[in-house]
Amino acid sequence: MAFLIDQFHGFRNWFWNPRFWLPGNVTWDDIRSTEEVRYVEFSDLLHTIPLAVLILFIRYLFERFLAAPVGRLYELKDVKPRPAPPHAVLELGYKECVNPDHRSIVSLAKQTDLTERHVERWFRQRRNQDRPSGLKKFTESSWRCFYYLSAFLYGVIIMWDKPWFWDTTYCWVDFPFQPLQREVYWYYMIEMAFYLSLTFSQFLDVKRKDFWQMFIHHMCTLMLMSFSWGGNMIRVGTLVLVIHDAVDYWMEAAKMAKYCRLHRLCDILFGIFTVMWFITRLVLFPYRIVCSVVFEAHMVIGEFSRMLFIVLLLVLQTLHLIWFFMISRMAYNAIVIGQVQKDDRSDSDEGLSEDGAFGDPDKVQNAKKKHANNFVKHRNNKT
């Protein structure tokens, strides 16, 4: 144990070497807090742990006493479908594959002496058994929408008079001798506590198909916030937070409208979300944040810390591109289904998810086939 402790201290001293993070001839002792000025302290990050617990408690109260009653007004119920009859062989097959292909269905039917239709029906019931109720999905989206909107408004209000909000070069002016302001301190602490709470609650919330992408996103965000706080690079960190919060609440609002079957409102909100995502994640983020760290900070901060930030920012940008592809596919599916089935797409059990499937995947494929068949019939009638 003593050996591991020594190795940990050795790694910590190497990782936080001032040459890696600060300009030349500047040490960590030079930016210690005094009675006249307050600088960041790495130990401040410990405050996020009780804050994360508090946020989870506030979320529980919000979902139960605010979001749930609103959801019930739109006739959303917290009722789970009838469970599938217990069957050991089929349960084992379900753990291996939730959506088995026809060959697997035939094999399972032979093993259990059941018909293929019976096996398909059992898997359909089993999938529905694991799906959360519409009310649960609505309350989760309501909480996220409320938080992201509140965080974005608070961030804009406190950043409006900050020079680096309008000109990123001010992120590095007088670095690292940039005093910590009280409103920025709370902004950072609350945001970090929220992402910390999401990292844990993600395993209990509604499972999305982009579960691991979201987990990587949360971990990367926490690392960026921790390192930017420890290296007193909080100015650029606040810009990252504002840019991300500017779009997320549109998506959650669209999902809330989806669950309440407000189809026209859902389409409008989703359209706004798509435009906002493109502007914030694919334009502002790379051209204001990434470029600032690459080109404006190279003469100010240590090369090690700059490269570390560039790698983490590029990981986030890669996720942004992957999600934009999914969003584009959602938009295409929404247009196709809207043309063929109008508002029927909102009746699927899958709902509007974050993985790029606007409605049930089978329903999307059927809509595409029907749209293609209608096009062929229309062309034949013309000829």
Side-chain angles (χ1 to χ4, degrees):
M1 182 61 69
F3 172 77
L4 294 176
I5 295 176
D6 291 339
Q7 292 296 316
F8 171 76
H9 286 300
F11 174 79
R12 185 186 63 179
N13 293 333
W14 171 83
F15 186 81
W16 291 107
N17 191 314
R19 293 187 296 107
F20 295 163
W21 298 84
L22 303 176
N25 301 322
V26 178
T27 66
W28 296 115
D29 292 332
D30 296 328
I31 53 174
R32 299 292 183 189
S33 297
T34 63
E35 294 182 357
E36 292 79 18
V37 63
R38 169 81 157 91
Y39 292 111
V40 298
E41 300 286 348
F42 197 77
S43 59
D44 293 335
L45 298 181
L46 295 175
H47 301 163
T48 61
I49 298 176
L51 274 176
V53 176
L54 178 61
I55 287 176
L56 288 173
F57 179 68
I58 295 174
R59 171 184 172 174
Y60 170 78
L61 297 178
F62 179 89
E63 291 184 356
R64 180 168 183 178
F65 297 106
L66 292 178
V70 174
R72 293 189 183 97
L73 290 177
Y74 289 92
E75 300 181 354
L76 297 177
K77 299 179 180 179
D78 191 14
V79 178
K80 292 186 177 181
R82 185 178 61 182
H87 199 293
V89 176
L90 295 181
E91 186 67 31
L92 183 61
Y94 180 81
K95 292 179 179 179
E96 294 178 356
C97 182
V98 177
N99 291 290
D101 54 19
H102 181 68
R103 182 178 300 178
S104 300
I105 292 291
V106 172
S107 176
L108 288 170
K110 291 179 180 180
Q111 295 179 44
T112 57
D113 293 330
L114 299 173
T115 64
E116 295 178 17
R117 186 174 182 82
H118 192 114
V119 174
E120 291 175 349
R121 187 183 302 113
W122 187 92
F123 270 86
R124 190 180 304 112
Q125 284 185 302
R126 186 64 180 84
R127 286 193 297 269
N128 288 333
Q129 180 180 332
D130 286 344
R131 286 172 183 161
S133 65
L135 184 62
K136 179 174 176 57
K137 292 188 289 186
F138 177 83
T139 56
E140 287 188 7
S141 293
S142 299
W143 163 249
R144 291 194 180 99
C145 181
F146 169 77
Y147 173 80
Y148 288 132
L149 178 59
S150 302
F152 172 68
L153 293 177
Y154 178 74
V156 171
I157 290 172
I158 68 168
M159 298 283 290
W160 193 261
D161 60 344
K162 305 295 188 294
W164 66 87
F165 185 69
W166 307 101
D167 185 355
T168 54
T169 57
Y170 282 94
C171 291
W172 316 107
V173 173
D174 296 329
F175 178 84
F177 301 101
Q178 298 173 341
L180 175 63
Q181 298 169 322
R182 181 179 296 274
E183 63 271 18
V184 175
Y185 166 84
W186 283 111
Y187 185 43
Y188 237 85
M189 291 296 104
I190 293 174
E191 287 274 36
M192 193 168 183
F194 175 76
Y195 281 104
L196 187 61
S197 69
L198 278 186
T199 304
F200 293 104
S201 65
Q202 186 180 6
F203 293 91
L204 302 175
D205 292 341
V206 176
K207 291 294 187 298
R208 306 293 183 187
K209 292 182 181 179
D210 61 348
F211 175 87
W212 289 112
Q213 291 97 318
M214 290 299 297
F215 183 79
I216 293 172
H217 176 271
H218 297 335
M219 294 304 297
C220 188
T221 302
L222 287 172
M223 291 173 64
L224 271 172
M225 296 184 70
S226 299
F227 295 149
S228 63
W229 183 270
N232 201 23
M233 304 175 197
I234 55 176
R235 291 186 177 182
V236 70
T238 55
L239 295 180
V240 174
L241 293 174
V242 170
I243 286 176
H244 278 74
D245 290 337
V247 64
D248 289 331
Y249 63 88
W250 291 108
M251 179 61 167
E252 301 301 335
K255 290 195 288 185
M256 291 168 60
K258 172 77 174 182
Y259 302 143
C260 294
R261 293 181 173 83
L262 302 175
H263 312 306
R264 184 64 61 85
L265 178 60
C266 175
D267 292 340
I268 294 173
L269 292 172
F270 180 73
I272 297 174
F273 162 75
T274 304
V275 174
M276 290 294 295
W277 182 281
F278 179 81
I279 294 174
T280 57
R281 304 294 178 91
L282 301 187
V283 178
L284 292 179
F285 183 81
Y287 288 103
R288 290 206 64 191
I289 306 301
V290 179
C291 287
S292 178
V293 177
V294 173
F295 299 110
E296 297 173 353
H298 72 285
M299 296 296 293
V300 180
I301 65 177
E303 188 64 18
F304 171 81
S305 60
R306 191 172 74 93
M307 295 305 299
L308 177 62
F309 272 89
I310 291 174
V311 169
L312 292 175
L313 290 173
L314 290 179
V315 170
L316 283 181
Q317 186 60 33
T318 302
L319 292 173
H320 295 164
L321 292 171
I322 293 173
W323 278 322
F324 185 72
F325 169 76
M326 294 179 175
I327 293 167
S328 301
R329 189 176 63 183
M330 290 171 65
Y332 172 77
N333 290 338
I335 293 172
V336 171
I337 298 174
Q339 290 174 343
V340 179
Q341 296 181 323
K342 299 185 186 296
D343 292 333
D344 290 343
R345 68 182 183 273
S346 297
D347 296 332
S348 72
D349 290 331
E350 290 292 329
L352 177 62
S353 71
E354 297 170 347
D355 59 5
F358 199 113
D360 186 90
D362 295 333
K363 198 171 190 179
V364 170
Q365 293 300 324
N366 292 335
K368 290 181 180 178
K369 292 178 182 178
K370 187 175 179 181
H371 180 64
N373 292 336
N374 289 340
F375 176 77
V376 173
K377 290 179 181 179
H378 180 70
R379 185 179 60 183
N380 291 338
N381 291 335
K382 280 188 173 183
T383 58

